[in-house]
Amino acid sequence: MKRYLVKPKSLVDLSTHDPRDSGAFDGGKKEGRDHLAKLVARLEELQEVLYAENRHRVLVVLQAMDTGGKDGTIRSVFGPLNPQGVRVASFKVPTPEELAHDFLWRIHKQTPRHGEIAVFNRSHYEDVLVVRVRSLMPESVWSKRYERINAFERILAEEGTTILKFFLHIDLAEQKERFQARIDEPAKRWKFNTADLKERKLWPEYVRAYEDALSKTSTKHAPWYIIPANRKWYRNIAVATVVLHTLEGLGMEYPKPAFDPAAIVIE
Ligand code: ADP
């Protein structure tokens, strides 16, 4: 999955990233689903140790264009994990109280505690994405935020939080299909909002804003991955694989018991 990693200080051009890529998987959906099941089973084991050890904190940031698959990724990759150790935080339009504070205030409060995986469904990156594209703040404000985001993430990392950031990359044609499905299928209509089409018209502006954010904020301690996301099953595999390798790399262990198991007899 290294090839999806955005190298620090590299310039991202999204047109060179194929959203239909499915890596080495040519067996298609069925093979993909079977593989995901294995990855998720291993993730469940590792999460158990993470929770038991109560030492590491893991932050997963999910960003995408509308219909990009944040919800589906959360359901498929993180849904099967022990809910006691996973928390999803969704960041919507800021409330008046949130707006009365600095843009990282509401974010910091949702960062993971020891033993926990926090999944951000949208994040502080909205403050350099929608805020920039929609001119909710002047450029003099949002342009300074990349550096602040890097500083904030460095603090989290140096204090012991492992950070992974995923941009779920779909193309315009795929978004059209997914919107159409939300209109056609009664059970999906609740997800559709006519205002979404206005955002869709701003696609090129969002691409530019994403390219800038990905270029400026992928760091060693908080790397971005550009995940090909047109194929949902491959998107899930790619995200699960990166999370899995990262957890494997933490060298976690169950805590040593504070008693001698051989010496205990339960009457
Ligand atoms: P989602 O699309 O994530 O499923 P919603 O449909 O409720 O959830 O959309 C959340 C909205 O909140 C998005 O349009 C997003 O751009 C907006 N939003 C999130 N963070 C901010 C922010 N900091 N400033 C302005 N808008 C934001």
Side-chain angles (χ1 to χ4, degrees):
M1 296 295 154
K2 276 252 166 70
R3 61 208 177 107
Y4 303 134
L5 174 72
V6 179
K7 293 200 185 74
K9 301 204 161 60
S10 62
L11 264 189
V12 172
D13 172 358
L14 283 175
S15 70
T16 64
H17 294 257
D18 181 6
R20 288 156 307 172
D21 183 22
S22 58
F25 283 87
D26 40 22
K29 233 184 203 174
K30 167 80 173 72
E31 189 197 334
R33 290 218 172 115
D34 292 348
H35 187 64
L36 180 68
K38 285 189 202 132
L39 293 172
V40 168
R42 179 71 186 126
L43 262 182
E44 282 185 78
E45 289 169 8
L46 285 165
Q47 187 216 2
E48 169 94 6
V49 189
L50 179 90
Y51 187 73
E53 197 188 36
N54 203 26
R55 191 160 74 91
H56 294 278
R57 316 176 178 106
V58 180
L59 171 59
V60 175
V61 170
L62 295 179
Q63 284 287 157
M65 299 283 198
D66 285 334
T67 77
K70 294 180 280 99
D71 293 356
T73 305
I74 292 170
R75 228 183 6 254
S76 306
V77 177
F78 300 97
L81 303 186
N82 177 358
Q84 287 203 102
V86 180
R87 187 165 44 80
V88 178
S90 298
F91 295 95
K92 310 270 183 182
V93 176
T95 63
E97 198 196 6
E98 287 168 348
L99 279 176
H101 292 80
D102 69 87
F103 77 104
L104 293 166
W105 180 74
R106 65 173 184 162
I107 307 294
H108 207 161
K109 286 202 289 192
Q110 298 288 354
T111 52
R113 48 161 292 145
H114 281 141
E116 189 176 52
I117 301 176
V119 183
F120 281 7
N121 180 355
R122 300 186 188 270
S123 64
H124 41 308
Y125 285 95
E126 292 294 323
D127 294 282
V128 290
L129 293 165
V130 64
V131 167
R132 165 178 169 166
V133 171
R134 286 253 162 230
S135 300
L136 303 178
M137 295 274 180
E139 179 167 356
S140 58
V141 172
W142 60 253
S143 63
K144 295 194 182 85
R145 289 182 169 168
Y146 302 98
E147 235 173 80
R148 290 170 189 165
I149 287 173
N150 285 339
F152 168 66
E153 291 177 352
R154 193 173 325 110
I155 293 170
L156 295 183
E158 286 177 0
E159 290 277 330
T161 300
T162 300
I163 307 172
L164 291 171
K165 303 180 295 197
F166 298 102
F167 170 59
L168 310 178
H169 182 35
I170 57 165
D171 56 30
L172 253 182
E174 181 66 23
Q175 188 190 54
K176 183 177 180 187
E177 263 183 42
R178 293 185 186 183
F179 272 145
Q180 195 60 53
R182 289 181 180 187
I183 294 163
D184 295 343
E185 295 173 34
K188 285 191 176 171
R189 285 185 190 144
W190 65 275
K191 282 192 178 186
F192 186 74
N193 187 329
T194 47
D196 293 343
L197 298 182
K198 284 200 197 130
E199 285 321 279
R200 177 173 162 83
K201 287 218 173 77
L202 293 168
W203 185 278
E205 285 79 3
Y206 272 105
V207 167
R208 233 169 294 136
Y210 264 110
E211 285 174 339
D212 248 7
L214 295 164
S215 304
K216 291 178 175 162
T217 63
S218 195
T219 56
K220 192 155 185 301
H221 55 268
W224 273 109
Y225 290 83
I226 299 173
I227 300 293
N230 269 22
R231 295 186 166 94
K232 295 173 181 171
W233 58 268
Y234 186 68
R235 169 202 75 202
N236 293 338
I237 286 178
V239 170
T241 304
V242 174
V243 176
L244 186 56
H245 285 166
T246 305
L247 293 186
E248 303 263 20
L250 292 180
M252 299 182 294
E253 286 176 352
Y254 280 111
K256 301 252 178 314
F259 53 87
D260 175 4
I264 292 188
V265 179
I266 301 175
E267 314 240 314

